[in-house]
Amino acid sequence: RRDTISRIDFSNETGSAPTVELSDARYGLGAVSSDNYGYFGGGNSPAIVNTVDRLDFSNETFSLPGNELTQARYYLAAVSSNSYGYFAGGLYPPGPAPDYVTTVDRIDFSNETTSAPGNNLPQAKGFAHGVSSRSYGYFAGGYNTPPTAFYDTINRLQFSNETLSLPGNNLS
Protein backbone atom coordinates (compact mmCIF):
# COMPACT_ATOMS: atom_id res chain seq x y z
CA ARG A 1 0.00 0.00 0.00
CA ARG A 2 1.30 3.39 -0.97
CA ASP A 3 -0.11 6.88 -0.64
CA THR A 4 2.07 8.54 -3.26
CA ILE A 5 1.03 9.76 -6.69
CA SER A 6 3.03 9.50 -9.91
CA ARG A 7 2.55 11.99 -12.73
CA ILE A 8 3.15 11.45 -16.46
CA ASP A 9 3.82 14.54 -18.55
CA PHE A 10 1.89 13.88 -21.78
CA SER A 11 4.09 16.26 -23.80
CA ASN A 12 7.27 14.22 -23.30
CA GLU A 13 6.07 11.01 -21.62
CA THR A 14 8.31 11.42 -18.60
CA GLY A 15 7.27 10.32 -15.15
CA SER A 16 7.73 12.20 -11.90
CA ALA A 17 6.49 12.05 -8.35
CA PRO A 18 4.95 15.33 -7.17
CA THR A 19 4.96 15.78 -3.41
CA VAL A 20 1.27 15.00 -2.94
CA GLU A 21 -0.24 12.06 -1.14
CA LEU A 22 -3.63 10.42 -0.71
CA SER A 23 -5.31 10.84 2.68
CA ASP A 24 -4.20 7.30 3.53
CA ALA A 25 -2.20 4.55 1.86
CA ARG A 26 -4.54 2.16 0.08
CA TYR A 27 -4.91 -0.15 -2.89
CA GLY A 28 -7.77 -1.32 -5.10
CA LEU A 29 -9.30 2.15 -5.53
CA GLY A 30 -11.07 3.62 -8.56
CA ALA A 31 -10.33 6.94 -10.26
CA VAL A 32 -12.39 9.41 -12.30
CA SER A 33 -11.64 12.92 -13.55
CA SER A 34 -13.23 16.16 -14.62
CA ASP A 35 -11.35 18.91 -16.48
CA ASN A 36 -10.11 20.37 -13.18
CA TYR A 37 -9.91 17.52 -10.67
CA GLY A 38 -9.13 13.86 -10.28
CA TYR A 39 -11.11 11.82 -7.73
CA PHE A 40 -9.85 8.63 -6.10
CA GLY A 41 -12.58 6.57 -4.40
CA GLY A 42 -12.70 3.53 -2.15
CA GLY A 43 -9.83 1.16 -1.50
CA ASN A 44 -8.35 -0.94 1.26
CA SER A 45 -6.07 0.73 3.77
CA PRO A 46 -6.06 -1.91 5.67
CA ALA A 47 -9.70 -1.16 6.45
CA ILE A 48 -12.02 -0.94 3.46
CA VAL A 49 -13.03 2.68 2.97
CA ASN A 50 -15.57 4.78 1.10
CA THR A 51 -13.30 7.84 1.14
CA VAL A 52 -13.06 10.10 -1.93
CA ASP A 53 -9.84 12.13 -2.29
CA ARG A 54 -9.71 15.04 -4.74
CA LEU A 55 -6.57 16.04 -6.66
CA ASP A 56 -6.55 19.63 -7.92
CA PHE A 57 -4.80 19.52 -11.30
CA SER A 58 -3.84 23.23 -11.20
CA ASN A 59 -1.63 22.99 -8.11
CA GLU A 60 -1.35 19.22 -7.48
CA THR A 61 -2.78 19.35 -3.98
CA PHE A 62 -5.09 16.81 -2.38
CA SER A 63 -8.18 17.49 -0.33
CA LEU A 64 -11.17 15.61 1.02
CA PRO A 65 -14.32 17.17 -0.48
CA GLY A 66 -16.34 15.45 2.26
CA ASN A 67 -18.62 13.36 0.10
CA GLU A 68 -17.94 9.67 0.26
CA LEU A 69 -19.06 6.66 -1.76
CA THR A 70 -22.37 5.18 -0.60
CA GLN A 71 -20.65 1.87 0.19
CA ALA A 72 -17.10 1.09 1.31
CA ARG A 73 -15.38 -1.25 -1.16
CA TYR A 74 -12.22 -1.93 -3.10
CA TYR A 75 -11.22 -3.30 -6.52
CA LEU A 76 -13.96 -1.22 -8.13
CA ALA A 77 -14.15 0.06 -11.72
CA ALA A 78 -14.63 3.71 -12.69
CA VAL A 79 -15.63 5.80 -15.72
CA SER A 80 -16.17 9.53 -16.35
CA SER A 81 -18.52 11.64 -18.45
CA ASN A 82 -18.21 15.43 -18.81
CA SER A 83 -20.49 15.95 -15.79
CA TYR A 84 -20.14 12.87 -13.59
CA GLY A 85 -17.82 10.16 -12.43
CA TYR A 86 -19.15 6.63 -11.78
CA PHE A 87 -17.67 3.99 -9.46
CA ALA A 88 -19.03 0.46 -10.02
CA GLY A 89 -18.80 -2.95 -8.40
CA GLY A 90 -16.05 -4.00 -6.06
CA LEU A 91 -15.82 -6.17 -3.01
CA TYR A 92 -16.37 -5.91 0.74
CA PRO A 93 -15.25 -7.10 3.30
CA PRO A 94 -11.78 -8.64 3.01
CA GLY A 95 -11.19 -12.25 3.89
CA PRO A 96 -11.62 -15.71 2.49
CA ALA A 97 -15.21 -15.09 1.30
CA PRO A 98 -15.74 -11.39 0.53
CA ASP A 99 -19.02 -10.08 -0.81
CA TYR A 100 -18.90 -8.77 -4.36
CA VAL A 101 -21.26 -5.87 -4.99
CA THR A 102 -23.31 -4.41 -7.85
CA THR A 103 -23.35 -0.86 -6.47
CA VAL A 104 -22.87 2.10 -8.82
CA ASP A 105 -22.08 5.48 -7.24
CA ARG A 106 -22.05 8.81 -9.06
CA ILE A 107 -20.07 11.92 -8.17
CA ASP A 108 -21.42 15.18 -9.60
CA PHE A 109 -18.44 17.24 -10.75
CA SER A 110 -20.36 20.54 -10.43
CA ASN A 111 -20.98 20.26 -6.67
CA GLU A 112 -18.99 17.16 -5.63
CA THR A 113 -21.96 15.33 -4.15
CA THR A 114 -22.12 11.57 -4.36
CA SER A 115 -25.26 9.54 -4.85
CA ALA A 116 -26.56 6.24 -6.14
CA PRO A 117 -28.25 6.90 -9.50
CA GLY A 118 -30.37 3.77 -9.07
CA ASN A 119 -28.99 1.50 -11.76
CA ASN A 120 -26.54 -1.12 -10.55
CA LEU A 121 -24.45 -3.69 -12.39
CA PRO A 122 -26.41 -6.83 -13.33
CA GLN A 123 -23.69 -9.05 -11.78
CA ALA A 124 -21.90 -8.60 -8.48
CA LYS A 125 -18.21 -8.41 -9.36
CA GLY A 126 -14.87 -6.92 -8.49
CA PHE A 127 -11.69 -6.51 -10.49
CA ALA A 128 -13.59 -5.12 -13.52
CA HIS A 129 -12.08 -2.24 -15.48
CA GLY A 130 -13.66 0.83 -17.00
CA VAL A 131 -13.15 2.98 -20.07
CA SER A 132 -15.19 5.95 -21.34
CA SER A 133 -16.19 7.69 -24.54
CA ARG A 134 -18.13 10.96 -24.66
CA SER A 135 -21.46 9.09 -24.62
CA TYR A 136 -20.82 5.84 -22.78
CA GLY A 137 -18.88 4.22 -19.99
CA TYR A 138 -17.95 0.55 -20.28
CA PHE A 139 -17.30 -1.83 -17.36
CA ALA A 140 -15.51 -4.90 -18.70
CA GLY A 141 -14.65 -8.25 -17.21
CA GLY A 142 -14.50 -8.95 -13.52
CA TYR A 143 -14.49 -11.76 -11.03
CA ASN A 144 -16.73 -13.23 -8.32
CA THR A 145 -16.36 -16.14 -5.92
CA PRO A 146 -17.65 -18.59 -4.65
CA PRO A 147 -18.19 -20.34 -6.92
CA THR A 148 -15.36 -18.96 -9.00
CA ALA A 149 -16.69 -16.93 -11.90
CA PHE A 150 -14.68 -14.89 -14.37
CA TYR A 151 -16.85 -12.51 -16.41
CA ASP A 152 -16.31 -11.74 -20.08
CA THR A 153 -19.27 -9.38 -20.27
CA ILE A 154 -19.11 -5.69 -21.03
CA ASN A 155 -21.71 -3.52 -19.31
CA ARG A 156 -22.43 -0.19 -21.03
CA LEU A 157 -23.56 2.87 -19.08
CA GLN A 158 -25.33 5.41 -21.28
CA PHE A 159 -24.42 8.79 -19.80
CA SER A 160 -27.49 10.65 -21.14
CA ASN A 161 -30.00 8.58 -19.13
CA GLU A 162 -27.78 6.51 -16.80
CA THR A 163 -29.10 3.15 -18.00
CA LEU A 164 -26.96 0.04 -18.02
CA SER A 165 -27.14 -2.47 -20.85
CA LEU A 166 -25.26 -5.35 -22.38
CA PRO A 167 -24.29 -4.23 -25.90
CA GLY A 168 -23.64 -7.87 -26.85
CA ASN A 169 -19.94 -7.71 -27.59
CA ASN A 170 -18.10 -9.60 -24.88
CA LEU A 171 -14.40 -9.92 -24.18
CA SER A 172 -12.78 -12.70 -26.21
Side-chain angles (χ1 to χ4, degrees), residues 56-70:
D56 186 327
F57 293 144
S58 68
N59 58 21
E60 295 183 336
T61 58
F62 266 107
S63 61
L64 294 170
N67 296 307
E68 300 176 337
L69 300 178
T70 61

Side-chain angles (χ1 to χ4, degrees), residues 68-120:
E68 300 176 337
L69 300 178
T70 61
Q71 182 179 22
R73 59 197 192 273
Y74 66 120
Y75 290 128
L76 57 161
V79 297
S80 302
S81 73
N82 289 335
S83 303
Y84 303 103
Y86 299 87
F87 298 91
L91 59 148
Y92 180 90
D99 288 330
Y100 290 79
V101 300
T102 62
T103 305
V104 175
D105 286 329
R106 176 184 68 201
I107 184 167
D108 185 328
F109 294 143
S110 67
N111 59 21
E112 296 183 330
T113 58
T114 54
S115 62
N119 296 319
N120 290 328

Side-chain angles (χ1 to χ4, degrees), residues 93-170:
D99 288 330
Y100 290 79
V101 300
T102 62
T103 305
V104 175
D105 286 329
R106 176 184 68 201
I107 184 167
D108 185 328
F109 294 143
S110 67
N111 59 21
E112 296 183 330
T113 58
T114 54
S115 62
N119 296 319
N120 290 328
L121 295 174
Q123 306 126 335
K125 60 184 173 180
F127 303 97
H129 290 279
V131 66
S132 309
S133 72
R134 292 186 185 268
S135 302
Y136 302 101
Y138 299 88
F139 302 108
Y143 176 80
N144 193 334
T145 186
T148 300
F150 292 94
Y151 293 110
D152 64 354
T153 53
I154 297 173
N155 302 107
R156 182 180 69 192
L157 173 65
Q158 185 171 339
F159 292 141
S160 63
N161 61 15
E162 295 183 329
T163 58
L164 278 159
S165 63
L166 293 168
N169 299 318
N170 293 333

